[in-house]
């Protein structure tokens, strides 16, 4: 417990401890025993009987540290979690025209576009939102004309009944880019608000409904937390804007019915559960081929870190892949059950407990897995 407490700040979530301090700690753990051995060797303390007795003690400890659990208790693949369906390839191909690693020429041109309007406020602060929209009307309308290719692209996505996700189980896999969604959704909402202020409520709803439908559609087959989070953000700002439109102008029964249809048939509890399980579905198939040094290098964003190879060599002693997957799977499924049941008080408590695994379970057994 005393050692665990001394390391608590070093490994705490959100810790601001410099990377140099972590590196020094790891080097100390590795180098100190080597220095002791070097001194003992120079003083000729390491006779064959002493070495044999030492290895009789050390080898079972190393074997115990490297021993892993026999099987994953909650097996799942990303393909089982989010199976492909007829037409998934076509919708996914349209979606990934605006992606991180393989953007289309249209996407590259959009990324280089300089907008006239400033970053707009969020609709959740209705006073600031209305002020920023009315103040920047001319710039918003000019940008809206520039966004014709992106609006056409969103229309293509809205035409699909389902939008597939074929992302493989790989943290380096290609993913959606957030920039186009943030910019296009904010401007769609801004133009809809301007139309409402002009008394053109039906046109405003006509703009918002396709965006709402796409944002909900993106969540149903999502394989990544990034895609789900982007969709939830877009859904939220669209719904907030729709509420403001309904408050400030007349909307025909037909447009209200269309909006109501877009808002219907969402299984909130099931989506809450999915939101919790989605990263586990990606992690579980990866854990068996993951090494501690590779994980640390990816976390730090430095593929050439000096600690990568030594930690990969010793990975089995500090990271047991199956035990780590089971530790994560058991907890994340418990949280998913609480989220689905809307037990938000218990959820908050257990989420906090999840962040204290390293401190609550002291010892060197699977310490890297618990930290991960």
């Amino acid at each position: 417990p005393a050692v665990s407490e001394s390391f608590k700040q070093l490994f705490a979530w959100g810790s601001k401890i410099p990377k140099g301090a972590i590196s020094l700690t790891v080097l100390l753990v590795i180098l100190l025993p080597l220095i002791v051995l070097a001194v003992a060797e120079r003083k000729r303390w390491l006779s064959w009987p002493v070495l044999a007795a030492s290895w009789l003690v050390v080898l079972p400890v190393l074997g115990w540290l490297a021993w892993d659990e026999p099987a994953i208790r909650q097996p799942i693949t990303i393909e089982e979690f989010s199976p492909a369906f007829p037409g998934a390839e076509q919708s996914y191909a349209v979606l990934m025209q605006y992606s991180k690693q393989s953007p289309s020429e249209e996407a590259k041109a959009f990324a280089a576009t300089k907008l006239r309007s400033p970053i707009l406020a969020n609709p959740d602060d209705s006073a600031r939102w209305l002020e920023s929209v009315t103040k920047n009307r001319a710039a918003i309308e000019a940008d809206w004309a520039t966004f014709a290719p992106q609006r056409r692209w969103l229309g293509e996505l809205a035409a699909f009944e389902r939008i597939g996700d074929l992302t493989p189980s790989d943290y380096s896999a290609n993913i959606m880019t957030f920039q186009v969604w943030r910019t296009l959704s904010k401007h769609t909402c801004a133009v809809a608000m301007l139309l409402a202020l002009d008394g053109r409520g039906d046109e405003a709803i006509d703009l918002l409904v396709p965006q709402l439908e796409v944002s909900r559609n993106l969540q149903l087959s999502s394989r990544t937390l990034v895609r789900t989070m982007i969709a939830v953000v877009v859904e939220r700002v669209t719904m907030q804007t729709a509420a403001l439109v309904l408050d400030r102008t007349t909307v025909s029964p037909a447009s209200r019915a269309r909006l109501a249809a877009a808002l219907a048939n969402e299984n909130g509890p099931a989506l809450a559960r999915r939101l919790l399980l989605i990263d586990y579905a990606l992690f579980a198939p990866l854990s068996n081929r993951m090494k501690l040094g590779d994980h640390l290098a990816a976390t730090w964003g430095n593929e050439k870190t000096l600690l990568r190879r030594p930690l990969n060599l010793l990975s089995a002693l500090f990271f047991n892949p199956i035990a780590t997957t089971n530790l994560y799977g058991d907890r994340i499924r418990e949280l998913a059950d609480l989220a689905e049941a809307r037990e938000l008080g218990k959820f908050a408590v257990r989420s906090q407990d999840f962040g204290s695994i390293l401190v609550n379970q002291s010892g060197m057994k699977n310490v890297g897995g618990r930290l991960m």
Side-chain angles (χ1 to χ4, degrees):
V3 173
S4 176
E5 186 64 28
S6 67
F7 280 88
K8 184 175 179 180
Q9 282 302 310
L10 190 65
F11 295 122
W13 295 112
S15 173
K16 300 301 181 184
I17 303 294
K19 293 176 185 176
I22 298 177
S23 302
L24 188 61
T25 302
V26 174
L27 288 172
L28 185 67
V29 169
I30 294 172
L31 289 179
L32 189 59
L34 294 178
I35 292 171
V36 171
L37 283 171
V39 171
E41 194 276 333
R42 287 180 64 86
K43 293 183 177 291
R44 299 185 181 278
W45 293 342
L46 300 181
S47 62
W48 284 111
V50 170
L51 284 171
S54 300
W55 279 114
L56 282 174
V57 174
V58 169
L59 283 175
V61 173
L62 295 181
W64 173 72
L65 288 174
W67 173 83
D68 205 350
E69 294 180 10
I72 293 175
R73 287 191 290 273
Q74 310 279 1
I76 189 171
T77 66
I78 200 73
E79 292 78 16
E80 292 169 335
F81 181 78
S82 180
F85 52 85
E89 296 85 358
Q90 292 91 328
S91 57
Y92 184 67
V94 173
L95 176 70
M96 297 303 283
Q97 289 174 17
Y98 286 79
S99 62
K100 283 273 188 183
Q101 297 175 17
S102 56
S104 63
E105 292 303 317
E106 183 180 289
K108 292 176 184 177
F110 171 77
T113 301
K114 296 191 180 299
L115 302 180
R116 297 174 178 83
S117 58
I119 297 174
L120 299 168
N122 286 316
D124 51 3
D125 186 341
S126 57
R128 284 189 61 211
W129 167 249
L130 289 169
E131 180 186 0
S132 71
V133 166
T134 53
K135 179 181 177 182
N136 297 287
R137 175 187 278 265
I140 291 168
E141 290 174 343
D143 287 337
W144 187 242
T146 304
F147 294 154
Q150 289 71 47
R151 288 154 52 195
R152 175 203 51 75
W153 168 72
L154 187 70
E156 278 189 66
L157 288 174
F160 291 106
E161 289 187 11
R162 301 173 69 184
I163 300 175
D165 193 347
L166 305 179
T167 307
S169 292
D170 190 340
Y171 281 119
S172 63
N174 197 12
I175 58 173
M176 295 163 55
T177 182
F178 183 47
Q179 181 193 15
V180 66
W181 292 98
R182 176 180 54 197
T183 305
L184 188 57
S185 63
K186 279 281 193 77
H187 278 75
T188 299
C189 290
V191 172
M193 200 70 247
L194 290 172
L195 289 169
L197 294 174
D198 292 342
R200 298 156 66 186
D202 286 358
E203 293 177 57
I205 296 299
D206 286 344
L207 270 185
L208 294 175
V209 165
Q211 183 166 280
L212 180 60
E213 290 172 338
V214 169
S215 67
R216 291 197 159 193
N217 220 343
L218 284 172
Q219 298 172 53
L220 298 177
S221 300
S222 179
R223 291 184 178 183
T224 65
L225 195 59
V226 169
R227 169 168 158 158
T228 303
M229 291 172 69
I230 290 172
V232 169
V233 169
V234 173
E235 179 183 19
R236 178 168 171 259
V237 297
T238 308
M239 290 176 67
Q240 289 171 332
T241 305
L244 291 172
V245 169
L246 293 174
D247 281 345
R248 281 166 173 76
T249 191
T250 301
V251 175
S252 70
S255 291
R256 285 177 177 269
R258 188 180 175 204
L259 178 61
L263 290 168
N265 301 321
E266 183 174 62
N267 188 339
L271 284 177
R273 179 180 184 82
R274 184 182 183 83
L275 187 64
L276 268 293
L277 290 176
I278 196 166
D279 219 35
Y280 174 70
L282 181 64
F283 176 81
L286 285 173
S287 60
N288 277 335
R289 62 179 187 265
M290 189 182 294
K291 300 289 186 182
L292 190 58
D294 294 336
H295 177 79
L296 189 67
T299 302
W300 284 356
N302 180 7
E303 295 293 316
K304 297 181 180 179
T305 178
L306 294 176
L307 290 174
R308 181 173 185 169
R309 289 181 181 274
L311 283 177
N312 278 348
L313 185 65
L314 301 172
S315 183
L317 302 178
F318 300 102
F319 170 50
N320 308 138
I322 297 176
T324 302
T325 301
N326 287 336
L327 183 70
Y328 183 27
D330 291 346
R331 279 164 171 74
I332 211 69
R333 284 188 181 274
E334 180 186 356
L335 291 177
D337 290 342
L338 292 171
E340 186 174 22
R342 293 297 197 263
E343 295 277 1
L344 299 185
K346 293 179 182 178
F347 180 91
V349 172
R350 293 302 288 148
S351 294
Q352 186 63 38
D353 291 344
F354 195 6
S356 305
I357 290 173
L358 196 73
V359 177
N360 294 338
Q361 299 180 8
S362 58
M364 288 301 294
K365 180 63 177 169
N366 196 29
V367 67
R370 285 182 282 125
L371 175 61
M372 188 183 295

